[in-house]
Amino acid sequence: MLKAIAHCRPAVVFAGLLWAATTVGAGPGQRPTYSRPGSATFPVTKFQLGRLEKQMFALVNHDRQDLAYSVETHGQAQPLKWNDKLAAVARAHSLNMAQNGYFDHTDPDGTTFSTRIIATGIPWQAMAENIASNPTVTGAEASFMREPPFKPNHRANILSVKATDIGIGIMPGPNGNLLITQDFVATPPASNGGGQ
């Protein structure tokens, strides 16, 4: 079963942890910026963020198919379908975290990830969300996958055999990190259409 929220704290990847920090955002008409410690700040375009999201999508599906994890998936984890509605929800959450200086599944107004996903109208049987703060998508995904197997955590959400669809949203965050949201749903068999 997909887990509602993963609660563990490896490295720079957290779930459900309030993180107060200076935000790196953009005002009206401005591009968000991304800076790494010790490097110049440079603009991040929608295209660049989209490429990072697709890179993470490929990493998630690679992990789901990796024979190293077949004991957990019993070889039954199918590649997830990209879902544009879920991606829009994930992007909005990552942007909200960046602009409002928090790091949690629940925004400052009390809106939870399940409320955000339900509002899309996507049919679902189960849902889950992973969030990360990491300088790279490969580092974030590796941190997720280093978590203990057979536990209700980020790794379990990624490897869930029930998950059918995913949306990923990435925004520049403070301190040179990317704020990453992965939203998962298991759609009912009759509505299993995915990439809307």
Side-chain angles (χ1 to χ4, degrees), residues 13-33:
V13 179
F14 307 95
L17 176 67
L18 180 63
W19 183 40
T22 307
T23 61
V24 176
Q30 296 177 326
R31 287 186 177 157
T33 58

Side-chain angles (χ1 to χ4, degrees), residues 71-87:
V71 172
E72 292 165 81
T73 65
H74 303 287
Q76 296 177 11
Q78 298 299 310
L80 296 173
K81 291 179 284 251
W82 182 264
N83 188 303
D84 288 334
K85 288 183 180 180
L86 281 177

Side-chain angles (χ1 to χ4, degrees), residues 117-170:
I117 292 173
I118 290 167
T120 68
I122 297 168
W124 60 275
Q125 292 179 316
M127 62 179 68
E129 180 173 86
N130 290 345
I131 57 176
S133 174
N134 199 290
T136 67
V137 296
T138 53
E141 186 68 12
S143 291
F144 288 149
M145 297 310 294
R146 280 194 299 270
E147 294 175 355
F150 305 107
K151 303 285 184 188
N153 56 24
H154 303 95
R155 176 183 174 128
N157 290 339
I158 291 167
L159 298 179
S160 171
V161 298
K162 293 186 179 185
T164 58
D165 293 34
I166 189 172
I168 298 168
I170 299 175

Side-chain angles (χ1 to χ4, degrees), residues 35-134:
S35 63
R36 289 178 186 260
S39 71
T41 300
F42 62 93
V44 175
T45 65
K46 185 176 177 180
F47 173 75
Q48 290 166 320
L49 292 171
R51 286 181 57 196
L52 292 173
E53 292 167 357
K54 293 299 183 175
Q55 179 186 5
M56 178 159 267
F57 175 58
L59 291 169
V60 167
N61 276 330
H62 178 268
D63 287 336
R64 290 175 62 81
Q65 301 295 294
D66 193 325
L67 294 177
Y69 307 122
S70 62
V71 172
E72 292 165 81
T73 65
H74 303 287
Q76 296 177 11
Q78 298 299 310
L80 296 173
K81 291 179 284 251
W82 182 264
N83 188 303
D84 288 334
K85 288 183 180 180
L86 281 177
V89 169
R91 282 184 203 113
H93 185 60
S94 290
L95 180 61
N96 192 359
M97 289 191 293
Q99 290 179 334
N100 293 298
Y102 73 97
F103 187 76
D104 203 324
H105 295 282
T106 303
D107 72 23
D109 294 330
T111 305
T112 64
F113 82 90
S114 57
T115 302
R116 292 188 295 270
I117 292 173
I118 290 167
T120 68
I122 297 168
W124 60 275
Q125 292 179 316
M127 62 179 68
E129 180 173 86
N130 290 345
I131 57 176
S133 174
N134 199 290

